[in-house]
């Protein structure tokens, strides 16, 4: 039988270790990453260099970066199948970031909606790093010639900018970078804040946010307090019943049930039954992940071997791109 070798498409994505991973990052991102790991060649990064665009506590940042790796693994990401690494361990990100900044317009960065939002939130500390952060993100992606970038809706504009930078560079110097596409998976659940269901669940809003490492009693308390509405019906209606719709989304993502099944299950029952049921489903979903993370966190040598191997592999790939770039722009070979 003839064997066909089909090159797998490459994926790059990352999450900032600027806070604990949330139920939103699990249901909206990591769960999808796990589903992609067999079909694609994936790089999953802990983007610590992005995290310092706003002030971080050094000890916490260090602890969270490693904890995030343990949690990636506990969620089902296999270090044998994916390249998992810490961004600052691969200096090529910073190097390519500098180069790409010289091919990015000030005006383009000024139009980034996340910059506008974050500079309002951190009005006393608007650094140039916060401003040029999308350039570093472009470097993350282009270094590895990634084809696809799974991201949430809020990152689409940054991936668009990355494409523009890649096309511009390719136009000046001939084909250098794969022009990536953002990849917003259909099955990803967009989890909203429990306290404020108009907004995305965010680690900056701890009350509306369930963390992957939350204890069962904290998860239950957060779900029992979740904002609903003054009706009675457990029905999906995003416009008029944002809170209940969000809880239904979470319930379905946690149990694998369809919306119709979930609505039927709670037909005629009030929120006093529904909310704890969602909480319990999430507790059961998170329990093995939390226990496995705690176990892996104790094995420092294992974690170190994973991020070291990840960085070595990533550096090998990154160097190929970076030397090509340096040659094309006219730097003297070292
Ligand atoms: N900017 C992304 C976020 O805040 C994280 C990120 C950094 C990223 N580099 C990336 C995501 C590259 C995808 C690809 O969510």
């Amino acid at each position: 039988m003839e064997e066909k070798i089909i090159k797998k498409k490459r994926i790059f994505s990352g999450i900032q270790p600027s806070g604990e991973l949330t139920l939103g990052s699990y249901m909206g991102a990591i769960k999808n990453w796990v589903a992609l790991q067999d079909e694609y060649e994936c790089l999953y990064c802990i983007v610590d260099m992005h995290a310092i665009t706003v002030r971080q506590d050094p000890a916490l940042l260090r602890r969270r970066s490693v904890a995030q790796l343990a949690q990636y693994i506990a969620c089902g990401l296999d270090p044998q199948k994916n390249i998992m690494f810490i961004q600052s361990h691969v200096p090529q990100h910073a190097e390519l970031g500098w180069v790409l900044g010289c091919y990015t317009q000030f005006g383009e960065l000024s139009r980034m909606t996340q910059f506008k939002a974050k500079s309002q939130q951190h009005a006393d500390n608007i650094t140039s790093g916060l401003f040029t952060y999308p350039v570093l993100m472009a470097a993350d992606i282009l270094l590895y010639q990634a084809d696809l970038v799974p991201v949430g809706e809020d990152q689409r504009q940054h991936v668009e900018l990355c494409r523009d930078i890649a096309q511009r560079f390719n136009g000046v110097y001939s084909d250098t970078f794969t022009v990536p596409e953002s990849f917003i998976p259909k099955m990803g659940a967009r989890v909203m804040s429990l306290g404020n269901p108009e907004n995305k669940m965010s680690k900056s809003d701890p009350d509306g946010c369930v963390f992957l490492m939350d204890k069962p009693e904290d998860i239950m308390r957060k779900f029992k307090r979740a904002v609903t509405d003054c009706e009675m019906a457990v029905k999906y209606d995003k416009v008029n019943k944002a809170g209940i719709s969000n809880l239904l989304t979470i319930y379905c993502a946690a149990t694998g049930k369809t919306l119709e099944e979930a609505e039927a299950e709670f037909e005629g029952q009030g929120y006093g039954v529904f909310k704890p049921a969602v909480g319990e489903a999430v507790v059961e979903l998170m329990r093995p992940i939390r226990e496995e993370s705690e176990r892996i966190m104790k094995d420092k040598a294992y974690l170190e071997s994973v991020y070291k191997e990840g960085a070595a592999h990533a550096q090998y790939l990154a160097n190929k791109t970076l030397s090509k770039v340096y040659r094309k722009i006219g730097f003297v070979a070292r």
Side-chain angles (χ1 to χ4, degrees), residues 12-14 16 47 50 114 133 137 140-141 149 151 155 158:
F12 185 99
S13 199
Q16 302 191 27
V47 288
H50 279 89
Q114 197 177 52
Y133 144 126
M137 177 162 163
D140 298 342
I141 298 164
V149 186
V151 284
Q155 296 295 319
H158 294 156

Side-chain angles (χ1 to χ4, degrees), residues 17 40 49 53 57 67 79 85 98 108 119 121 138 149 161 170 184 203-204 206-207 226 229 238 242 271 285 296 312:
Y40 298 89
M49 291 162 70
T53 52
D57 176 279
F85 68 105
W98 172 257
E108 291 180 299
S119 53
Q121 275 168 31
V149 186
L161 177 70
N170 289 349
I184 302 187
K203 46 201 168 195
S204 52
D207 272 345
D229 50 62
K238 223 164 165 187
Y271 299 161
L285 177 74
I296 299 171

Side-chain angles (χ1 to χ4, degrees), residues 87-221:
Q87 186 183 27
S88 62
H89 292 180
V90 182
Q92 289 83 353
H93 288 251
E95 296 184 63
L96 184 63
W98 172 257
V99 173
L100 296 182
C102 301
Y103 298 83
T104 308
Q105 298 298 311
F106 186 88
E108 291 180 299
L109 293 175
S110 312
R111 285 194 289 278
M112 294 294 121
T113 52
Q114 197 177 52
F115 173 71
K116 294 186 208 168
K118 282 207 180 179
S119 53
Q120 274 172 8
Q121 275 168 31
H122 303 274
D124 53 339
N125 185 30
I126 306 176
T127 65
S128 56
L130 187 65
F131 185 66
T132 57
Y133 144 126
V135 178
L136 181 61
M137 177 162 163
D140 298 342
I141 298 164
L142 299 181
L143 259 185
Y144 302 102
Q145 310 288 352
D147 300 288
L148 298 170
V149 186
V151 284
E153 201 54 54
D154 60 322
Q155 296 295 319
R156 198 199 279 274
Q157 196 186 27
H158 294 156
V159 179
E160 278 307 311
L161 177 70
C162 173
R163 289 168 56 85
D164 291 343
I165 298 171
Q167 276 160 342
R168 184 171 308 148
F169 194 98
N170 289 349
V172 177
Y173 299 101
S174 79
D175 262 2
T176 308
F177 296 122
T178 301
V179 180
E181 273 172 49
S182 58
F183 180 53
I184 302 187
K186 286 184 280 304
M187 65 175 266
R190 189 153 190 262
V191 177
M192 311 304 279
S193 159
L194 299 184
N196 200 346
E198 264 77 39
N199 298 336
K200 190 174 131 174
M201 181 176 278
S202 156
K203 46 201 168 195
S204 52
D205 155 32
D207 272 345
C209 181
V210 175
F211 295 99
L212 236 51
M213 294 299 115
D214 274 351
K215 298 266 176 294
E217 56 271 26
D218 295 324
I219 297 178
M220 290 306 292
R221 179 176 43 80

